[in-house]
Amino acid sequence: MTEQHSSGQDSTAITVVGLGPMGSALAQTLLDRGRSLTVWNRTAGKADALVAKGAHRAATIAEAVAASPVTITCLNDYATMYQVFDSTDGAFQGRTLVNLTSGTPAEARMTADWAAERDLGYLDGAIMVPPPLVGRPESVLLYAGPREVFDRHRATLALLGDPRHLGTDPGLAVLLNTALLEMMYATLNGFLHGAALVGSANVSASEFAELALGWFMPVVLDPASLAEQAANLDEGAYPGDLGTMQMNLNALEHIVRTSVEQGVHSDQPRLMKELAEHAIAQGHGTENYFAMFEIFKRGRGPMPGGGR
C-alpha cells in the first residue's frame, strides 16, 4: 500500500515514536480509531505492518514530530529519548510530547524541564496494562503534568484507555507506576515462593493455587479490607488488638526455618524477618503489622544483625 502522509495541520493527526511491542500497540490502536498516524522508529522496518495499514513512515525524527500536534513516544529509557529527540528542537515548538517511557520520578521532572526549554507541552505517563489490552475502555493509563495540556489532548489519550491525570508534578505517573509494579512483583514472589515451599513436599502448584487463590487471597488480602487500613496508614494508627508485630515476627521466623529445612531459597523470607525485627527495635512491637509502613517511610537504615 502507498504510504499516506499526515498533514501537521490536521487536528486528528498523531505521531508515535518507538515501535516496540507497546509502541506498536499504541500505534495500531490509534489507526483502528481512525486517526491520521505518522510513525518513526530507529529500525525503520518495524513500521512496515503499520504502513501497510495506512500509517505514514516519516523519513526523519524531525519530520515525524512536525507531522502532528502531539507525539507519543514509548522508548527503552529516558536516555534513549534524549538521543532520539535532541535533534528536533525546531520541529517541536508549540507541540506536545506525551512520554510513556519507563524511568524514575527524577528523570521525568528533568525531562519536563527539558521540554519547557523547547516551548514544548509535556505529559509524562505510564501504561498500566500489557500491549494486548491497550485501547480497552477499562485499561488505565496514568498521566502527570500541566492540567491544560492533559485537557487539550484528553480525547486522543482516551482512545488508548482510561486516562487518569494525577497532578501537575511530572514525576507522579512514573512514581505510582513503580509503586504498583513493586506491589505486583512482591505478590508474585510471595505466590511463587509459597508454591516452591509446598513443591518441596511434592504438592503441585495447581493444588497450592486452589487454596491460595481460591480462599487465602480473597479472605486474608481482601482489597476492601486493605482499603480500610489505608486510612490508618495516613493517620499512623496501628492498634495491635488482633495481632502484634512480635506475633508476626514469630510467623516470619517459621517461614525462614521451614525454607531452610525444605531446601528452598530463604533470602526473601529472611529479609521480611529482618524488617520485622527492625520495626520491633524501633518501638513497633505491640502494634500490628501495618506499622511496617513507618519503617518503609524512613528510608534505608541499619537492621538487626548488621543487615541493610
Side-chain angles (χ1 to χ4, degrees):
M1 179 179 292
T2 303
E3 297 182 9
Q4 300 293 320
H5 180 57
S6 301
S7 169
Q9 304 303 312
D10 183 354
S11 63
T12 69
I14 190 163
T15 292
V16 173
V17 171
L19 297 176
M22 185 61 78
S24 294
L26 296 169
Q28 184 62 60
T29 297
L30 292 166
L31 268 182
D32 291 344
R33 302 297 190 274
R35 287 302 180 108
S36 178
L37 180 69
T38 296
V39 293
W40 185 90
N41 193 75
R42 286 179 293 179
T43 303
K46 287 190 175 182
D48 289 350
L50 293 164
V51 170
K53 295 177 182 178
H56 166 67
R57 183 189 351 242
T60 66
I61 184 62
E63 179 189 334
V65 169
S68 310
V70 58
T71 293
I72 295 176
T73 185
C74 188
L75 296 166
N76 290 336
D77 50 38
Y78 285 77
T80 302
M81 190 215 72
Y82 290 130
Q83 292 171 7
V84 167
F85 287 112
D86 263 343
S87 63
T88 63
D89 289 359
F92 257 144
Q93 190 171 19
R95 288 174 167 78
T96 295
L97 176 65
V98 179
N99 186 14
L100 300 177
T101 298
S102 298
T104 70
E107 288 176 317
R109 295 178 186 119
M110 288 177 62
T111 306
D113 292 339
W114 171 89
E117 293 170 358
R118 290 159 175 76
D119 188 27
L120 170 64
Y122 183 76
L123 292 174
D124 204 274
I127 306 167
M128 305 310 299
V129 294
L133 299 185
V134 169
R136 295 190 182 186
E138 68 275 14
S139 295
V140 172
L141 285 83
L142 306 177
Y143 299 96
R147 182 76 201 202
E148 63 272 17
V149 177
F150 175 79
D151 288 342
R152 188 184 319 141
H153 299 291
R154 184 183 186 119
T156 296
L157 301 177
L159 298 175
L160 304 174
D162 178 8
R164 308 280 183 92
H165 185 257
L166 302 175
T168 58
D169 177 354
L172 285 175
V174 71
L175 179 62
L176 265 73
N177 175 58
T178 302
L180 291 167
L181 285 175
E182 182 198 13
M183 182 177 175
M184 178 190 77
Y185 284 118
T187 302
L188 285 174
N189 281 346
F191 172 74
L192 295 171
H193 191 271
L197 269 177
V198 300
S200 68
N202 297 317
V203 176
S204 70
S206 297
E207 185 176 349
F208 175 68
E210 183 179 2
L211 186 61
L213 306 180
W215 168 77
F216 183 81
M217 290 284 284
V219 173
V220 179
L221 297 178
D222 173 41
S225 177
L226 289 178
E228 290 176 5
Q229 289 292 339
N232 289 334
L233 299 185
D234 292 332
E235 296 174 6
Y238 314 105
D241 305 24
L242 300 179
T244 65
M245 186 69 71
Q246 184 63 57
M247 292 171 58
N248 281 283
L249 174 59
N250 293 339
L252 290 165
E253 288 175 338
H254 296 157
I255 299 172
V256 173
R257 288 168 51 200
T258 301
S259 297
V260 172
E261 285 181 8
Q262 297 297 116
V264 172
H265 201 289
S266 63
D267 282 2
Q268 178 174 272
R270 198 181 303 277
L271 174 59
M272 293 190 291
K273 170 180 168 289
E274 291 174 352
L275 285 167
E277 290 171 340
H278 185 45
I280 291 169
Q282 294 297 312
H284 300 290
T286 61
E287 297 176 320
N288 67 42
Y289 192 79
F290 285 88
M292 191 65 70
F293 184 55
E294 299 298 323
I295 303 303
F296 292 143
K297 285 196 301 183
R298 291 174 191 160
R300 188 176 182 182
M303 294 195 296
R308 292 293 293 178

